[in-house]
Amino acid sequence: MPLIELSQVTKRFAARPAVDALTLQVAPGEVYALLGANGAGKSTTIQMLLGFITPDSGSVRVAGYDVVAEPVAARRQVAYVPETVQLYPELTGVENLDYFSRLAGHRLGRVALAATLQRAGLTGESADRRVVTYSKGMRQKVGLAIAFAKGAQVLLLDEPTSGLDPHAAQEFNLATAAIAATGVAVLMATHDLMRAQQLARRIGVLHEGRLRIERNARDVSLAELETLYLAAVNPTASHAAPPAARSVA
Amino acid sequence: MWDSLIQVLRKEATILRRDGRAPWLLAVLGGLVLAAALSQALIVRSNLAAVDAAARAEHSRWLAQPEKYAHSAAHYGIWAFRRAAPLSIADPGVTAYLGSAVWMEAHLQNEALYRPSQDAGLLERFGALSPAVVVGAIAPLFLLLLGYGAVSREREQGTWSLTRIQAASLDSIVAGKVLAIASAVGVALIPGLLVVTVSSIVLASPDHGLTILTATGRVLLWLLAVAVYLLLISSLVVALSSATRSSAMALGIGLAAWTVGVLLMPRFAAEAAARVAPLQTQQQWTLALRRDLYDPAGEAQLESLKLQTLQRHGAARVEELPVNWVGVRLQAGEERGNAVFDAQWGALFEQIARQQTLARSGGLASPWLAFRSLSQELAGSSFAAHRDFLQQAEVQRRRIQRILNEDIQGKLERDGQRPPSGRDVWDRVPEFRSQVTPLAAQAGSWRGPLLQLLAWAGAAFALVGVAARRAQRGAAT
């Protein structure tokens, strides 16, 4: 059973479709990379999965729960790492993790908190420093640790490595792969073709709210992916016309 | 639900502690209420000591008067002093603007004289900033400064989406924020409120209608009203923070609401009540009182009483009566005067009560007004408490006149000589001790403000619930 299911989902803002008849599924343990230019509908898709935006039509389900009809049950199954993880600057990394994991209903001891942060790549004394002193990469790691601690079946990532240096982005990808390996379904919205190609099992390209291309990541090289992407987001340019979306699941 | 609430409470407390502004704000507020409580406690203690000493001296002066005609003693007169209610440490209410002593004499129900505000020293002027004013008028400003960004700043920072995604009940998260702000201010108020509690219990006197138990009950009720008030204002602040698009807007609207609710509404309510239900001027009232008091019909009534008395005793002249007619006539004159006083003072009190009810209806538009009225009633420093003092003094005045007139009635005049009275008669007059009226006997005065405060609390809690549900929806920011 897929853990993420969008079926013919449409969302309009002021009559302009932000997401248009989107159908998409992500299986347990799968990483799905959703590519697209700014305004393509990636973030709107994630916000609908979080239940922050209600679709105009279609069905959005997370771990079997309809996010509109059963928002709280659906949210219990979802972890989310945005482009910039915002934490309480007055609290330390450990305190932020402790707070958010307790809100999610998990009480972790001091050792478990440190281990979770370590698993997300945040080690040493930095966990006990106030977040106001953190770099963006460190915040992203705390965000990932919060996602780990929640033990959710679904992880939504919205441009999670944007602005990170290559090393930090690589570390983030490794941690994400590790979480997917535990059976978590990961949907990652990103501009980063290389990270998408490295991390994802499947890649979809959104343009003007429609899923233009869907490929198995192993079937395309990075160069081919770039050509497909450019053709999808700018069909009038001199790239080869993209083939219609097709399922490879 | 409770676990999330406690987590939010803990987190908010940590953030407030580490915030550069909050500890200073709270220290200033705590200092204010402590200073107000200490100065007010000193004022009340000194008032009680002065009133007790004056009352003892006055009673001694009464007892020490030499033998004299009893009606001369009735004009010799005696003061009745109002002893401040101990809980006026928390809220001196209107006592400073009303008289604190009544001159009790024959034939007249006098007004209360000597308003504390007339000769207030520096200490008392600072005392005008009472704990009730700090809690009711100033603390909401601090609650606003601490809480205007409770939800809006989280939305601006982006932590709100991460909070919402944890699937904890937003009701409990919002409730946690309300409790955190209210508790922070509550903790800052503790030293001052402790002074209020201990002092008002220690100064309670069973001789003046307050046992330690009843004094404790009153303080606890007042503290409960404070707790409800702080919670309701915190709820309004958090609801505002949740409803507005930015923290700056929340702060702006909150400051405007505070200005209207705390600074403008009390003035507006008082002015509107004075226009809608104006009081007679003092001159009009005095003229009406004198008109009724010196009505020529009174002489005719006395003449009729004289005839009835002579008839009853089968006498042709008052000198043949077995009782001293002068005493009978004096008492009849008192009773006739009493009826006039009851009518005129009663009408005046009714006018004041009508005006006060109208002014207090402003409590529906301002929680500060609702709290202020309830606080004064609980503290025994409202107009209703002053009216009770006037009535107690009048009861004492009438008792004195009756004792003296009955003494005259029992002593027949010989050879035109007025019979003197002495210590045995003066002893029959009990020492006047003003009493704090039990709350149960004053339900009509505090029921309205209590209902207003509870209505505000209900509305504020409902609003914050609506805010939580609105926050549950809406896009992440």
Side-chain angles (χ1 to χ4, degrees), chain B residues 53 70 141 166 175 177 245 345 375 469 476:
Chain B
L141 198 56
Q166 302 313 315
K177 285 177 177 291
R245 268 178 288 177
W345 280 95
S375 168
R469 274 180 282 287

Side-chain angles (χ1 to χ4, degrees), chain A residues 47 50-53 72 75-76 78-80 82 85-92 95 98-100 102-104 107 130 146 150, chain B residues 3-4 7-8 10-11 14-15 18-19 154 157-168 170 173 177 472-476:
Chain A
Q47 299 254 325
L50 291 168
F52 292 168
I53 294 178
V72 176
R75 275 182 197 168
R76 287 206 180 97
V78 176
Y80 169 55
V85 173
Q86 298 296 349
L87 304 164
Y88 296 104
E90 302 89 347
L91 304 185
T92 66
E95 287 168 341
D98 185 35
Y99 171 66
F100 284 111
R102 280 174 186 260
L103 276 192
R107 284 169 178 270
R130 290 193 194 173
I146 291 168
K150 190 173 180 185
Chain B
D3 194 43
S4 303
Q7 296 318 316
V8 175
R10 266 183 48 194
K11 184 264 291 178
T14 308
I15 289 176
R18 291 177 185 171
D19 183 313
E154 288 225 27
Q157 285 178 343
T159 42
W160 194 238
S161 8
L162 202 52
T163 301
R164 287 168 65 194
I165 199 62
Q166 302 313 315
L170 282 190
I173 289 169
K177 285 177 177 291
Q472 191 82 40
R473 299 191 296 270

Side-chain angles (χ1 to χ4, degrees), chain B residues 114-425:
Chain B
Y114 306 120
R115 301 169 183 187
S117 61
Q118 286 172 320
D119 54 356
L122 281 177
L123 189 62
E124 284 161 297
R125 283 173 207 279
F126 185 74
L129 193 68
S130 67
V133 169
V134 176
V135 169
I138 299 175
L141 198 56
F142 284 74
L143 287 167
L144 177 65
L145 292 175
L146 292 176
Y148 71 91
V151 177
S152 55
R153 193 181 296 123
E154 288 225 27
R155 277 204 302 261
E156 287 159 1
Q157 285 178 343
T159 42
W160 194 238
S161 8
L162 202 52
T163 301
R164 287 168 65 194
I165 199 62
Q166 302 313 315
S169 139
L170 282 190
D171 283 339
S172 60
I173 289 169
V174 168
K177 285 177 177 291
V178 169
L179 274 181
I181 301 164
S183 321
V185 166
V187 166
L189 297 178
I190 283 176
L193 297 184
L194 211 57
V195 170
V196 167
T197 305
V198 173
S199 311
S200 52
I201 292 172
V202 166
L203 293 175
S205 159
D207 288 344
H208 296 272
L210 269 186
T211 62
I212 287 183
L213 199 65
T214 51
T216 307
R218 269 188 189 249
V219 177
L220 290 179
L221 284 174
W222 188 79
L223 292 175
L224 188 63
V226 168
V228 169
Y229 182 70
L230 292 181
L231 278 173
L232 89 83
I233 298 291
S234 303
S235 300
L236 291 177
V237 167
V238 172
L240 175 67
S241 178
S242 177
T244 44
R245 268 178 288 177
S246 70
S247 298
M249 189 185 281
L251 181 60
I253 294 173
L255 284 174
W258 181 83
T259 306
V260 171
V262 172
L263 300 182
L264 297 182
M265 269 312 293
R267 177 63 58 88
F268 174 77
E271 290 285 334
R275 281 177 188 277
V276 174
L279 300 180
Q280 290 172 283
T281 62
Q282 175 128 14
Q283 195 181 22
Q284 286 170 327
W285 184 77
T286 309
L287 279 174
L289 183 73
R290 286 189 179 161
R291 182 196 63 214
D292 292 352
L293 212 50
Y294 304 121
D295 185 354
E299 284 305 315
Q301 285 171 2
L302 281 178
E303 196 55 36
S304 163
L305 175 70
K306 185 174 159 185
L307 290 173
Q308 285 170 20
T309 310
L310 289 170
Q311 218 167 15
R312 191 162 61 246
H313 293 286
R317 296 184 306 133
V318 291
E319 290 78 6
E320 296 169 9
L321 287 171
V323 294
N324 187 337
W325 162 246
V326 176
V328 176
R329 181 169 59 81
L330 283 170
Q331 185 56 30
E334 283 298 327
E335 280 162 17
R336 192 180 161 280
N338 292 347
V340 172
F341 296 134
D342 286 344
Q344 290 297 338
W345 280 95
L348 179 65
F349 287 151
E350 267 179 38
Q351 285 177 19
I352 293 172
R354 195 160 55 245
Q355 194 179 80
Q356 183 174 272
T357 303
L358 278 170
R360 283 186 168 183
S361 64
L364 292 170
S366 160
W368 156 231
L369 274 180
F371 172 77
R372 190 178 71 174
S373 304
L374 181 62
S375 168
Q376 289 177 3
E377 295 298 343
L378 293 174
S381 58
S382 65
F383 180 76
H386 177 71
R387 188 184 58 207
D388 283 342
F389 161 67
L390 294 180
Q391 285 169 345
Q392 289 168 24
E394 180 59 7
V395 166
Q396 174 78 350
R397 187 188 76 83
R398 293 179 187 186
R399 181 185 296 132
I400 295 171
Q401 302 316 312
R402 196 174 55 250
I403 290 169
L404 297 175
N405 290 335
E406 282 172 1
D407 183 62
I408 295 172
Q409 285 171 34
K411 292 175 177 169
L412 297 176
E413 291 187 10
R414 304 285 174 212
D415 306 325
Q417 291 294 310
R418 290 172 167 175
S421 302
R423 177 68 187 250
D424 62 318
V425 178

